Amino acid sequence: EAGVAQSPRYKIIEKRQSVAFWCNPISGHATLYWYQQILGQGPKLLIQFQNNGVVDDSQLPKDRFSAERLKGVDSTLKIQPAKLEDSAVYLCASSQTATRVEQFFGPGTRLTVL
Amino acid sequence: GDSVTQMEGPVTLSEEAFLTINCTYTATGYPSLFWYVQYPGEGLQLLLKATKADDKGSNKGFEATYRKETTSFHLEKGSVQVSDSAVYFCALSVGAQGGKLIFGQGTELSVKP
């Protein structure tokens, strides 16, 4: 079974530029999560999708971050414009359902904002 | 709000030593508890889990028991190996919140031969 795929693996941009990350969850998984992991900290949820609807985006900085999950499969997370404090690893995870508690994580995208 | 607190690292042990990484939590509901591991250069992997009080999760020689009375989920291993060197994250999930994971800050373990 293929795991959660993410791209790119690494991205370096300058502040005020825009960037987008892509995630392809495990086939058949209805729930998709984006987490932000700042160096030295645990991951923090940014947004959760159930199929193509948003379940929780309470910690997403909506003035600069946006995310979508078209057709309930792939998802894209965008930052525009980026700030220095956005430097982090962005993790995508998926689970069969929201109540099926095991989440499977992708390898992450390491973003550096200069 | 819900939160997880782990012992600070880094933790450095010799091979075959006993490992304990402390984890305590605060939650308003009845959480499920997890330990995730992140090996160097790899993504997060589920190590073990427990979904109700007094459950014991175990995997690869690691164990953790869900203690509701002390709100703890300490990770233990009787004899660590160099290959166990990684960052370990304790996490909780409250089903009523849609399954999102709340993580501790992580504990880095380094095992020396």
Side-chain angles (χ1 to χ4, degrees):
Chain A
E1 178 181 79
V4 177
Q6 290 187 249
S7 67
R9 291 294 309 276
Y10 305 91
K11 190 73 176 180
I12 301 174
I13 61 172
E14 295 189 350
K15 60 183 180 183
R16 292 188 289 274
Q17 287 187 323
S18 63
V19 64
F21 313 127
W22 173 81
C23 172
N24 185 23
I26 292 172
S27 178
H29 281 196
T31 309
L32 185 147
Y33 308 81
W34 284 101
Y35 291 86
Q36 180 193 57
Q37 185 179 13
I38 293 172
L39 185 65
Q41 299 181 19
K44 181 187 77 173
L45 181 74
L46 291 175
I47 189 167
Q48 176 186 346
F49 291 94
Q50 180 69 21
N51 296 310
N52 59 353
V54 175
V55 174
D56 183 350
D57 64 355
S58 58
Q59 298 195 79
L60 186 74
K62 298 180 186 65
D63 58 334
R64 298 182 301 106
F65 285 64
S66 65
E68 61 183 8
R69 191 182 184 198
L70 299 177
K71 301 181 181 179
V73 182
D74 293 6
S75 177
T76 302
L77 177 69
K78 296 180 181 178
I79 307 175
Q80 182 179 8
K83 293 184 175 181
L84 297 177
E85 58 261 36
D86 298 332
S87 293
V89 177
Y90 291 84
L91 298 167
C92 180
S94 70
S95 62
Q96 287 188 335
T97 66
T99 53
R100 183 82 175 185
V101 294
E102 182 167 355
Q103 295 181 23
F104 296 84
F105 284 80
T109 296
R110 182 177 298 277
L111 173 67
T112 302
V113 182
L114 302 176
Chain B
D2 300 343
S3 65
V4 174
T5 302
Q6 290 181 233
M7 66 183 286
E8 292 192 12
V11 174
T12 302
L13 296 174
S14 297
E15 205 165 21
E16 299 183 2
F18 184 85
L19 168 71
T20 299
I21 300 178
N22 290 336
C23 171
T24 57
Y25 67 90
T26 302
T28 52
Y30 298 94
S32 295
L33 301 174
F34 307 83
W35 278 99
Y36 278 81
V37 59
Q38 191 168 37
Y39 297 104
E42 298 185 16
L44 278 167
Q45 302 174 26
L46 178 64
L47 181 59
L48 54 83
K49 67 181 180 184
T51 57
K52 61 182 187 294
D54 300 325
D55 271 2
K56 177 184 284 188
S58 61
N59 186 27
K60 299 182 180 180
F62 291 89
E63 293 182 341
T65 300
Y66 187 143
R67 302 287 189 197
K68 186 178 178 183
E69 64 275 12
T70 55
T71 62
S72 64
F73 192 55
H74 304 322
L75 182 68
E76 296 182 336
K77 186 175 186 182
S79 176
V80 293
Q81 305 300 313
V82 172
S83 57
D84 294 325
S85 297
V87 181
Y88 292 82
F89 292 92
C90 185
L92 68 82
S93 173
V94 179
Q97 297 177 18
K100 72 177 183 183
L101 289 168
I102 296 171
F103 287 87
Q105 75 271 31
T107 302
E108 183 180 0
L109 171 66
S110 179
V111 181
K112 305 299 184 185

